[in-house]
Amino acid sequence: MVEHFHHQSQNFVKFLVLCLLFLAAVSVEARVRHHKWEVKYEYKSPDCFKKLSISINGKTPGPTIIAQQGDTIIVEVKNSLLTENLAIHWHGIRQIGTPWADGTEGITQCPVVPGDTFVYKFVVDRPGTYLYHAHYGMQRQAGLQGMIKVLVPKGVVEPFSYDHDRNILLTDWYHKSTYEQAAGLASLPFVWVGEPQSLLIHGRGRFNCSAPSTDATLCNATHPQCTPFTMTVVPGKTYRLRIGSLTALAALSFEIEGHNMTVVEADGHYVEPFVVQNLFIYSGETYSVLIKADQDPTRNYWASTKVVSRPSATPNGLGIFNYYPNHPRRRPPTIPPVGLRWDDVAPRVAQSVAIKSHKNFIHAPPQTSDRVIVMLNTQNRVNGFMRWSVNNVSFNMPHTPYLITLKHNLLHTFEQTPPPDNYDHENYDIFNVAKNVNATTSNSIYRLKFNTTVDIILQNANTINPNNSETHPWHLHGHDFWVLGYGKGKFNQSIDPKNYNLVNPIMKNTIPVHPYGWTALRFRADNPGVWAFHCHIESHFFMGMGVVFEEGIEKVGKLPTSIMGCGDSKRFHRP
């Protein structure tokens, strides 16, 4: 009896020790990471051409946020833009329990006015590679953007190994201000933003200063800010490159001369590994690729980024993949890779289809859905103005953010007739310019029943120009979705769902819709809040290419007054 009691007490002590160790581990793991940012305009020359850029603490791209799964991030943002409002979206962070921290002006918060400081506070609940960027006007393409790297907790093993971890943010760059661009998009006659002047690799590019009609006082080819991006590697080592794209317009192909890349993560989810030479990446996407420094170490190699899916005159962005101990600026002895043809769609679709969940990390999708919303993506005119639309409805943002409106029942602030769940797919010809290109505008939203499963079919079509269909990257806030499939031509609602991948679909937050094709996704409406779903091409969203979903609004906690102060929410604001 005594022996039995002694044995039991030993077990109890062991159990207590384990509990204490676990608590210690948990308390060590979940940290609060505090950032203080000042956002302001500064003159920068990222591609040798001097222009006003938005910087965070003097940097563009802004500082990378590095955290561990489960950490709380607090970012105190001071708006020193003087004449512009501000909002910052944490792209890929689901904001579970903090829908007011999503950073989407007009949807989850009032904008931060000049001189004010706004505090974003949220938990990064999954490891992976994410982004942040402006979500007000077209500020993202003025440089307000950066990366978020969420590491696995200590002791957790990822399904691949590497020696070093590096970030690369890919962007395109315009010399005109976002004011001029927005004014052109919203005017009659319509003035398109055109192709970008440069492609930047982590904030560095090269514009040809001797190009005709370039103002020599603004372009300086020897400016230190436009020395090429260099990544130094040690021969024989394996590198995890976390690659994100926040282009304003361009779809990109990225390659490192002479090296294969193994894709292992997409938008924070592990991928069943596959090898590419060119990584296609669309605005709002992130990938991790593994690359081994296994080529001739006596020389350097080109890193190159190229516009695909548009007939662009923008020169390829170039950087240097530098084998130590060669000089980091030593030019590779070869001509930079030209890249694939811009209009070669097949390899882009093939990569999209190849991305599947890693076999040990499959999140099984619900096998059926409760609601199907088919979204026809078209270019239209509204009263002569050029717009983009979903099912012939072009989105306009209201003055009072939806989150406040719905929580406080201010339903008079936006239209209550819901947007259409479908379009006339029997009669609509997606391969030609529409017979009637006119559309309407609305600020109404989709109300989703909480915890239901929703399918979205994104259907691409011809634009207003004959024989032209564009690539649209669509991004969903507040969720990841399962990618069920891609198809050519018009989606067939009785046949195509039979071929969905319900076994090992990848989960993502951003997905391309290829020219004249469709993309099918599924998500659970299980995150209380109001969430944007929109084309991530800056000018397309500005011109109305987006929708808003509401789910479980009654489950959202008390809203912080800091998000209020505009439109009909003025009365709730306590400065």
Side-chain angles (χ1 to χ4, degrees):
M1 180 75 186
V2 173
E3 198 174 85
H4 174 73
F5 177 75
H6 178 68
H7 184 67
Q8 290 289 83
S9 63
Q10 267 189 322
N11 281 349
F12 182 66
V13 169
K14 275 183 191 165
F15 174 70
L16 270 182
V17 168
L18 279 172
C19 283
L20 288 168
L21 281 171
F22 175 73
L23 284 171
V26 168
S27 60
V28 167
E29 292 297 342
R31 289 176 46 187
V32 176
R33 297 182 188 253
H34 217 115
H35 298 268
K36 267 185 119 144
W37 287 359
E38 186 182 13
V39 176
K40 65 178 184 196
Y41 271 109
E42 295 184 85
Y43 281 106
K44 297 275 185 196
S45 304
D47 67 346
C48 310
F49 186 91
K50 180 177 164 187
K51 76 163 262 195
L52 274 176
S53 313
I54 300 180
S55 67
I56 299 173
N57 296 349
K59 292 165 75 170
T60 175
T64 298
I65 292 177
I66 300 174
Q68 214 168 31
Q69 182 179 3
D71 287 355
T72 298
I73 307 292
I74 297 175
V75 188
E76 265 181 75
V77 181
K78 179 168 196 246
N79 179 3
S80 295
L81 293 175
L82 304 178
T83 58
E84 286 181 58
N85 294 337
L86 175 72
I88 299 178
H89 168 54
W90 316 95
H91 181 116
I93 308 298
R94 291 173 299 175
Q95 301 295 351
I96 295 165
T98 51
W100 47 80
D102 189 48
T104 46
E105 178 269 333
I107 297 171
T108 62
Q109 72 171 98
C110 289
V112 186
V113 298
D116 269 12
T117 296
F118 186 87
V119 179
Y120 288 100
K121 183 179 179 184
F122 54 90
V123 173
V124 288
D125 63 329
R126 280 166 321 151
T129 310
Y130 308 103
L131 304 160
Y132 65 81
H133 57 81
H135 223 289
Y136 180 81
M138 289 169 68
Q139 286 173 342
R140 186 179 94 218
Q141 68 191 58
L144 206 182
Q145 50 195 21
M147 298 187 77
I148 303 173
K149 182 156 96 175
V150 182
L151 307 170
V152 290
K154 295 236 178 332
V156 172
V157 180
E158 295 188 275
F160 46 85
S161 58
Y162 50 91
D163 302 301
H164 301 286
D165 187 338
R166 300 270 193 274
N167 294 355
I168 300 178
L169 182 60
L170 304 176
T171 49
D172 47 13
W173 194 244
Y174 287 89
H175 292 169
K176 276 200 168 128
S177 74
T178 51
Y179 284 128
E180 282 178 276
Q181 292 190 319
L185 295 174
S187 66
L188 271 175
F190 175 72
V191 183
W192 173 234
V193 297
E195 297 300 312
Q197 277 64 61
S198 300
L199 298 180
L200 307 184
I201 302 181
H202 217 78
R204 290 167 180 268
R206 209 159 191 83
F207 182 69
N208 177 7
C209 287
S210 52
S213 77
T214 304
D215 185 340
T217 61
L218 294 178
C219 209
N220 173 6
T222 59
H223 199 293
Q225 283 173 4
C226 62
T227 51
F229 168 82
T230 312
M231 187 180 136
T232 301
V233 297
V234 174
K237 297 286 187 201
T238 298
Y239 291 80
R240 176 185 188 163
L241 303 188
R242 296 172 186 263
I243 303 169
S245 169
L246 281 174
T247 52
L249 175 67
L252 299 174
S253 166
F254 175 80
E255 63 182 301
I256 292 174
E257 179 196 8
H259 292 71
N260 283 337
M261 296 182 279
T262 304
V263 179
V264 293
E265 178 219 346
D267 291 2
H269 290 274
Y270 297 128
V271 169
E272 189 59 32
F274 67 98
V275 177
V276 296
Q277 278 174 320
N278 296 271
L279 178 75
F280 299 108
I281 184 164
Y282 305 89
S283 180
E285 287 193 313
T286 64
Y287 290 100
S288 284
V289 299
L290 300 182
I291 186 164
K292 191 167 186 194
D294 59 2
Q295 296 301 302
D296 173 4
T298 63
R299 54 162 288 199
N300 289 338
Y301 296 83
W302 293 108
S304 174
T305 169
K306 175 189 199 297
V307 176
V308 290
S309 94
R310 301 184 67 82
S312 177
T314 310
N316 292 0
L318 295 175
I320 294 174
F321 196 64
N322 162 231
Y323 271 73
Y324 182 81
N326 297 309
H327 193 284
R329 302 259 165 76
R330 186 170 157 203
R331 276 177 75 88
T334 44
I335 294 165
V338 179
L340 299 166
R341 279 176 57 98
W342 72 269
D343 56 356
D344 192 355
V345 181
R348 304 207 301 274
V349 174
Q351 179 188 297
S352 292
V353 171
I355 302 170
K356 305 277 194 279
S357 270
H358 189 286
K359 60 178 181 292
N360 301 336
F361 294 87
I362 295 170
H363 298 271
Q367 295 296 293
T368 56
S369 67
D370 302 300
R371 182 174 178 183
V372 178
I373 304 174
V374 181
M375 296 187 172
L376 176 71
N377 295 193
T378 54
Q379 194 180 23
N380 298 84
R381 288 208 175 87
V382 176
N383 302 327
F385 291 90
M386 188 75 83
R387 303 279 299 194
W388 281 91
S389 312
V390 172
N391 296 343
N392 278 340
V393 179
S394 189
F395 178 68
N396 272 352
M397 201 80 81
H399 291 300
T400 312
Y402 293 109
L403 187 63
I404 305 167
T405 294
L406 291 160
K407 197 68 191 154
H408 289 280
N409 226 20
L410 310 172
L411 298 185
H412 62 277
T413 61
F414 70 95
E415 292 164 52
Q416 293 303 302
T417 310
D421 273 21
N422 214 322
Y423 72 106
D424 179 7
H425 58 94
E426 291 298 310
N427 299 309
Y428 194 96
D429 177 3
I430 64 161
F431 294 103
N432 288 295
V433 178
K435 291 185 181 72
N436 176 7
V437 297
N438 292 318
T440 56
T441 57
S442 172
N443 58 15
S444 65
I445 64 172
Y446 291 94
R447 315 279 306 253
L448 306 177
K449 215 168 153 206
F450 189 68
N451 242 341
T452 55
T453 300
V454 181
D455 280 4
I456 307 284
I457 316 300
L458 292 162
Q459 174 69 63
N460 215 334
N462 206 97
T463 64
I464 277 180
N465 304 312
N467 306 316
N468 174 248
S469 180
E470 302 198 2
T471 303
H472 299 285
W474 275 80
H475 169 57
L476 178 59
H477 293 227
H479 305 76
D480 291 334
F481 47 72
W482 289 275
V483 182
L484 301 182
Y486 299 86
K488 283 182 185 163
K490 195 187 281 190
F491 179 77
N492 183 318
Q493 285 167 309
S494 51
I495 296 170
D496 288 323
K498 295 189 175 91
N499 299 318
Y500 283 169
N501 174 12
L502 299 172
V503 179
N504 59 350
I506 191 66
M507 294 191 83
K508 288 182 104 274
N509 62 60
T510 304
I511 201 74
V513 191
H514 296 291
Y516 299 112
W518 55 264
T519 300
L521 29 126
R522 177 171 290 177
F523 71 97
R524 284 197 74 84
D526 57 3
N527 189 5
V530 190
W531 308 106
F533 180 48
H534 62 95
C535 177
H536 217 258
I537 291 173
E538 194 79 312
S539 44
H540 290 186
F541 182 44
F542 179 82
M543 294 159 71
M545 196 172 194
V547 299
V548 170
F549 296 125
E550 173 273 319
E551 61 205 54
I553 194 74
E554 66 290 342
K555 295 179 167 52
V556 173
K558 189 175 185 304
L559 300 181
T561 59
S562 60
I563 67 169
M564 303 177 188
C566 59
D568 270 36
S569 74
K570 286 193 181 82
R571 57 183 132 145
F572 303 120
H573 186 53
R574 304 274 181 279

